[in-house]
Amino acid sequence: MEMQQIRLSTEINATKEKVWDVLLSDATYRAWTSVFEEGSYAETDWKEGSKALFLTPEGSGMVSRIKLHKPNDVITIEHLGMVKDGEEIYDSEEMKSWQGSTETYRVRSLNGKTELTIEQDSAEKHYEWLSKTWEQALQKVKELAETDNKHGRSL
């Protein structure tokens, strides 16, 4: 099955470090990925070469690895398999259509703000849903990064 690439960007009024923290810290990761599925979370240390499990509250999801990680710059995640009923599966027909696909987050300073860009490979049948959902996720990251977490105020 042929992959299409989703590529979206947003400008965020926060530092690269703040945006990076929002992307990968457990509490904020759970908040922004809730647009994909409420209660989603990651089990990983985010280190290059490490395994990453992206799971729903029911324990289903994806098995991936951190392919590249340059903190406050870029992270690429390679999707390898799925998790179903707590079991890792690497050889189902459905999964083979997207096995090896990647998801990349990039941050760069831009005129005193930060540009966040995501790129994700998508099977054609999921492209429209993923594109719309990524737009919501980027908006959520922007809101989280532009809010002073201690006081709930915009910066």
Side-chain angles (χ1 to χ4, degrees):
M1 182 178 290
E2 193 163 316
M3 291 290 199
Q4 294 179 289
Q5 188 175 70
I6 297 166
R7 188 175 196 279
L8 298 167
S9 295
T10 190
E11 254 186 44
I12 301 174
N13 189 19
T15 64
K16 284 174 38 169
E17 294 78 11
K18 172 76 174 185
V19 173
W20 201 255
D21 189 54
V22 167
L23 286 171
L24 303 185
S25 291
D26 184 54
T28 49
Y29 178 87
R30 288 173 186 256
W32 73 263
T33 59
S34 69
V35 301
F36 292 97
E37 180 151 351
E38 193 65 45
S40 295
Y41 65 100
E43 285 185 5
T44 184
D45 62 10
W46 299 111
K47 292 180 180 165
E48 198 167 301
S50 290
K51 181 178 185 177
L53 298 176
F54 299 98
L55 302 169
T56 66
E58 296 77 37
S60 296
M62 295 189 303
V63 182
S64 307
R65 79 175 174 94
I66 308 303
K67 187 173 181 177
L68 172 71
H69 187 183
K70 295 181 179 174
N72 304 312
D73 185 24
V74 61
I75 189 166
T76 298
I77 301 158
E78 181 180 22
H79 302 303
L80 305 172
M82 42 192 226
V83 179
K84 190 170 186 176
D85 301 322
E87 184 183 340
E88 294 179 17
I89 302 167
Y90 296 92
D91 58 2
S92 78
E93 283 307 310
E94 177 195 351
M95 196 225 50
K96 286 179 182 178
S97 70
W98 54 262
Q99 191 171 40
S101 66
T102 60
E103 188 172 320
T104 299
Y105 313 151
R106 295 178 197 282
V107 293
R108 70 180 184 112
S109 297
L110 185 69
N111 303 323
K113 297 182 179 183
T114 298
E115 179 184 58
L116 168 61
T117 302
I118 67 95
E119 297 168 352
Q120 182 174 2
D121 297 328
S122 172
E124 190 175 336
K125 69 179 183 176
H126 301 297
Y127 183 84
E128 191 174 320
W129 178 83
L130 268 174
S131 294
K132 287 179 184 172
T133 308
W134 264 116
E135 286 175 13
Q136 296 169 13
L138 286 177
Q139 184 58 40
K140 191 78 169 166
V141 171
K142 180 178 173 75
E143 289 168 13
L144 290 164
E146 291 180 350
T147 299
D148 174 353
N149 293 335
K150 293 183 197 96
H151 304 98
R153 296 188 311 243
S154 290
L155 296 172

